[in-house]
Amino acid sequence: MAASAFTDLSRLAIHTMTNKPWSLRQCIDGYSRAGIRGISVWRNVLEPIGARQAGKMLRDAGMDVVALVRGGFFPAFEQSRRQAAIDDNRRAIDDAADIGAKMVVLVCGAVPGMPLSEARKQIHDGIATVLPHAEARKVRLAIEPLHPMYAADRSAINRMAEARQICESLRSPWLGIACDVYHVWWDPELQTEIELAGKQKTLFAFHICDWRVETRDLLNDRGLMGEGCIPLRQIRGWVEAAGFSGYNEVEIFSTQKWAMDQAEYVEQIKRAYLECS
Ligand code: ZN
């Protein structure tokens, strides 16, 4: 069953990367002015100021920090690089705790030339290694499956099922899945996997945007909700039927949108959220 339209912005969150030209300060001010409290913070906007100061800014503004984006990138041929990834993920977890984020989103990684099965094993082992730190800092880890067009170099986890298999193996209330419609809308098992994630209490996050039919760039040409072919309201219906009541996080990488006036773009996001999500 399809979900009904939103009538307010209380469950809308925006990823800072959606408004890439803005600093964290500008995102906080821009979203606040637009009546949006939910924010997912990308690490690039923390770099100039540090997580502690960012945390204070976010708290002072009364923002609800959904997630820190992103950790992951576990697989590597060299042991030293695998260890560097572990260290970096621990830092991401610490930063998430400092800014009051409920979770770290994991883009799990892949290495050209490494068999995907080996990459998946290294991802599993990497998550197992950092999970105790996540638990100690009370930060959840959300595995985000990425569209298979990124299997070469960004993620060997391409379907909800692969994320589920890691969750089932490691079994922790601190480990779950970020369901991003851009990456998984095509999956014939999507509804089943969302239902399973609901039962297993691993449905941690829901990311929204749209798939432009005439995609011009594989990374930076995502559409605003309603600009593409994703049956967004149907998928949201599945997600809500599975018990998810968290934020609908708008995450759009778009060279075209980044060239716009960002305050006007936030107004477009609000309209698209209310009319098309
Ligand atoms: Zn996402």
Side-chain angles (χ1 to χ4, degrees), residues 144 180 207 251:
E144 178 162 340
D180 185 326
H207 298 176
E251 181 191 28

Side-chain angles (χ1 to χ4, degrees), residues 51-52 89-104 130-141 174:
R52 293 257 165 84
N89 276 277
R90 292 202 178 106
R91 279 194 296 276
I93 290 165
D94 289 337
D95 285 353
D98 285 344
I99 65 170
K102 294 163 195 64
M103 71 186 110
V104 172
V130 300
L131 199 48
H133 191 60
E135 185 172 351
R137 297 304 313 262
K138 302 210 180 320
V139 172
R140 306 203 288 181
L141 301 177
W174 300 93

Side-chain angles (χ1 to χ4, degrees), residues 15-29:
H15 282 234
T16 57
M17 188 56 86
T18 300
N19 300 101
K20 189 180 176 186
W22 275 355
S23 66
L24 181 61
R25 176 82 268 162
Q26 287 173 303
C27 286
I28 292 171
D29 292 346

Side-chain angles (χ1 to χ4, degrees), residues 194-209:
I194 287 172
E195 284 170 10
L196 260 173
K199 288 199 185 89
Q200 298 181 343
K201 306 212 180 308
T202 52
L203 194 51
F204 284 3
F206 185 51
H207 298 176
I208 59 174
C209 66

